[in-house]
Amino acid sequence: VATPPVPVTANGQDGVGSFDGDRVRLEWNWLADQKKRSAGNREWPLSAVEGVEWRPAQGMDWGWVRFRIRGDAGIASTNPRLDPNCLTLWGTKKE
């Protein structure tokens, strides 16, 4: 499968993720948890990204895209809604 041309942008539930060929950015919207908004928008050079985890939204559950960043082990949360390195994807889950 051929990769899409850059820049690439994806809208999620709690923000927007983008990649311009050199840098990855996550920008939070008003639906982001306070923990994410407190951490601020995130931006990394591609060389700092060690890995990407993706779980598609399925049925009643949200999905997510999580960026594993070199040297950032202490900031991640297992809950995608609280992890400032993770963009949650639309689902229909109700709390």
Side-chain angles (χ1 to χ4, degrees):
V1 174
T3 58
V6 293
V8 176
T9 302
N11 291 313
Q13 178 197 15
D14 55 4
V16 176
S18 62
F19 176 62
D20 66 7
D22 295 315
R23 303 188 75 71
V24 175
R25 292 178 186 81
L26 297 178
E27 298 178 41
W28 308 122
N29 64 26
W30 64 278
L31 291 173
D33 185 87
Q34 182 61 37
K35 182 173 181 179
K36 286 184 176 183
R37 289 194 314 259
S38 293
N41 293 336
R42 312 289 282 159
E43 183 174 333
W44 310 281
L46 184 58
S47 61
V49 177
E50 289 185 334
V52 178
E53 301 168 15
W54 173 60
R55 179 175 178 235
Q58 297 178 7
M60 297 294 285
D61 207 4
W62 289 305
W64 41 263
V65 176
R66 175 177 285 130
F67 296 91
R68 288 187 288 120
I69 306 302
R70 186 172 292 108
D72 217 5
I75 197 166
S77 168
T78 57
N79 183 340
R81 297 191 67 202
L82 304 176
D83 185 348
N85 293 350
C86 189
L87 179 67
T88 57
L89 306 174
W90 291 104
T92 56
K93 185 174 182 179
K94 294 184 179 183
E95 299 198 43

